[in-house]
């Protein structure tokens, strides 16, 4: 677990696990493209091994892989594209690693007609109370992510999601939004709900960072996770509202494809119309 210090704000940082290997790793560098265009913010890594990153604005990535993991399968994924699984030992033999993704062909969702009368009510769900404590992510890996579980207890037309932030550097920052289904066995985030990647660029200084989802037409009738992911963490921005020591349906992972852990209760909420049968 990262160290933390209680001052006016609670600070916590991620340490690079490869710093203690004495150089017992190999660097894989490459670029992700699609139809000759770079694919920014694609996930690249090894599942269940806490080895992962995301590509930068140019579609390029750099991944440190311990020697004992060089025979593993590299996973490359991005919302809207088919996921690739590639042998690492084959990639490491190449002078230039160029990986091309293929767009995902989506089938139309089935339309279900019901004769039951539904009652709709606008609700805010999740951690709707803003905490005065903010947490600072520093020196972490690209792709670090926080999520909170939302339970609509009915069919929900999702209108927006929000994150309580404090932008102490007063600079524009970039986050990725993820919405996940819940794995029935582990109760952890699983399949992505979004059909297109949602990139959030904002210079909001403090308060609820609202993300409008009305155009996405997302309808969910089971619990789901709302997550916010960092494309870079070389600067501690933004800080996130939360409550340490009282974890309720919130998780964190320290890198893309990393292991989910409990750490704090994040100020993440969802707003939408919840329909129930009369």
């Amino acid at each position: 677990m990262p160290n933390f210090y209680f001052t006016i704000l609670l600070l916590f940082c991620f340490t690079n696990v490869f710093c203690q290997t004495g150089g017992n790793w190999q660097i894989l560098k490459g670029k992700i493209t699609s139809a000759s265009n770079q694919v920014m913010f694609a996930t690249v890594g090894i599942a269940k091994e806490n080895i992962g990153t995301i590509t930068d604005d140019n579609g390029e990535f750099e991944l440190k892989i311990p020697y004992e993991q060089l025979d593993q399968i590299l996973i490359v994924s991005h919302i809207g594209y088919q996921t690739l699984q590639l042998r690492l030992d084959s990639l490491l033999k190449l002078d230039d690693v160029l990986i091309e993704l293929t767009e995902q062909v989506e089938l139309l969702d089935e339309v279900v007609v019901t004769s039951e009368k539904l009652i709709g009510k606008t609700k805010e769900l999740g951690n709707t109370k803003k905490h005065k404590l903010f947490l600072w992510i520093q020196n972490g890996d690209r792709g670090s992510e926080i999520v909170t579980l939302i339970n609509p207890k009915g069919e929900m037309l999702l209108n927006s999601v929000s994150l309580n932030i404090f932008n102490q550097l007063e600079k524009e920052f970039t986050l990725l939004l993820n919405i996940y289904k819940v794995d029935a066995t582990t109760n952890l985030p699983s399949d992505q709900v979004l059909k297109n990647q949602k990139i959030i660029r904002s210079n909001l200084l403090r308060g609820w960072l609202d993300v409008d989802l009305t155009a996405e037409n997302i309808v969910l009738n089971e619990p789901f996770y709302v997550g916010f992911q960092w494309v870079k963490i070389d600067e501690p921005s933004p800080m996130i509202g939360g409550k340490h020591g009282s974890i309720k349906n919130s998780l964190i992972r320290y890198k893309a494809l990393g292991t989910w852990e409990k750490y704090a209760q994040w100020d993440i909420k969802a707003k939408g119309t919840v329909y129930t049968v009369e």
Side-chain angles (χ1 to χ4, degrees):
M1 290 296 293
N3 297 323
F4 59 91
Y5 307 91
F6 285 97
T7 55
I8 297 176
L9 303 171
L10 176 66
L11 310 181
F12 69 97
C13 65
F14 303 115
T15 57
N16 189 328
V17 296
F18 298 101
C19 290
Q20 300 177 357
T21 62
N24 295 323
W25 39 260
Q26 188 164 342
I27 295 178
L28 175 68
K29 294 183 179 181
K31 185 171 184 176
I32 310 298
T33 66
S34 176
S36 300
N37 296 318
Q38 67 267 21
V39 178
M40 62 181 180
F41 309 147
T43 298
V44 184
I46 305 173
K48 299 180 181 180
E49 296 294 343
N50 272 335
I51 301 171
T53 188
I54 59 176
T55 58
D56 60 17
D57 292 355
N58 298 315
E60 298 176 349
F61 71 91
E62 179 176 312
L63 194 63
K64 292 182 178 179
I65 306 169
Y67 284 151
E68 62 268 21
Q69 303 293 341
L70 295 182
D71 60 347
Q72 294 280 358
I73 299 297
L74 185 75
I75 296 177
V76 182
S77 63
H78 188 287
I79 297 174
Y81 295 89
Q82 296 180 18
T83 298
L84 291 181
Q85 298 187 28
L86 306 168
R87 290 184 58 89
L88 268 173
D89 51 7
S90 297
L91 292 175
L92 291 167
K93 296 176 183 178
L94 302 176
D95 293 330
D96 297 311
V97 177
L98 184 63
I99 301 171
E100 184 169 348
L101 297 180
T102 302
E103 289 190 20
Q104 184 77 46
V105 177
E106 294 291 342
L107 300 176
L108 294 176
D109 294 333
E110 181 182 3
V111 177
V112 179
V113 179
T114 177
S115 60
E116 297 176 320
K117 186 175 181 180
L118 300 178
I119 301 299
K121 185 177 181 180
T122 301
K123 292 185 178 181
E124 281 192 343
L125 304 174
N127 300 327
T128 58
K129 179 183 177 180
K130 289 195 296 185
H131 291 95
K132 296 180 180 180
L133 181 68
F134 289 88
L135 298 98
W136 175 21
I137 301 177
Q138 183 184 21
N139 299 329
D141 291 322
R142 297 171 60 89
S144 299
E145 185 174 7
I146 59 174
V147 297
T148 288
L149 182 67
I150 307 294
N151 188 357
K153 297 182 180 179
E155 187 174 79
M156 183 177 192
L157 175 61
L158 192 58
N159 295 330
S160 65
V161 296
S162 305
L163 176 69
N164 181 27
I165 64 105
F166 173 36
N167 180 9
Q168 78 285 9
L169 295 183
E170 300 184 4
K171 295 181 179 180
E172 183 180 78
F173 58 87
T174 303
L175 297 173
L176 302 180
L177 172 67
N178 293 308
I179 300 177
Y180 300 103
K181 296 180 181 179
V182 180
D183 187 282
T185 302
T186 64
N187 204 39
L188 296 174
S190 60
D191 297 335
Q192 177 71 245
V193 172
L194 293 174
K195 303 300 183 184
N196 300 290
Q197 189 174 66
K198 197 74 173 180
I199 303 172
I200 306 161
R201 302 187 192 276
S202 175
N203 55 11
L204 178 68
L205 297 183
R206 187 164 183 166
W208 287 111
L209 174 65
D210 298 319
V211 184
D212 185 9
L213 294 173
T214 53
E216 307 297 327
N217 194 31
I218 298 173
V219 178
L220 300 158
N221 55 17
E222 295 180 349
F224 58 94
Y225 280 99
V226 175
F228 291 87
Q229 189 174 24
W230 277 256
V231 301
K232 63 178 182 178
I233 313 185
D234 53 355
E235 293 182 341
S237 183
M239 303 178 80
I240 306 303
K243 185 176 182 181
H244 185 268
S246 179
I247 301 166
K248 182 181 179 182
N249 298 330
S250 291
L251 300 168
I252 186 171
R253 60 180 175 184
Y254 306 139
K255 58 188 65 186
L257 294 179
T259 302
W260 292 105
E261 299 182 19
K262 293 181 178 180
Y263 187 77
Q265 179 179 335
W266 310 111
D267 291 350
I268 296 175
K269 65 180 181 179
K271 183 177 181 180
T273 304
V274 179
Y275 295 92
T276 56
V277 179
E278 185 180 43

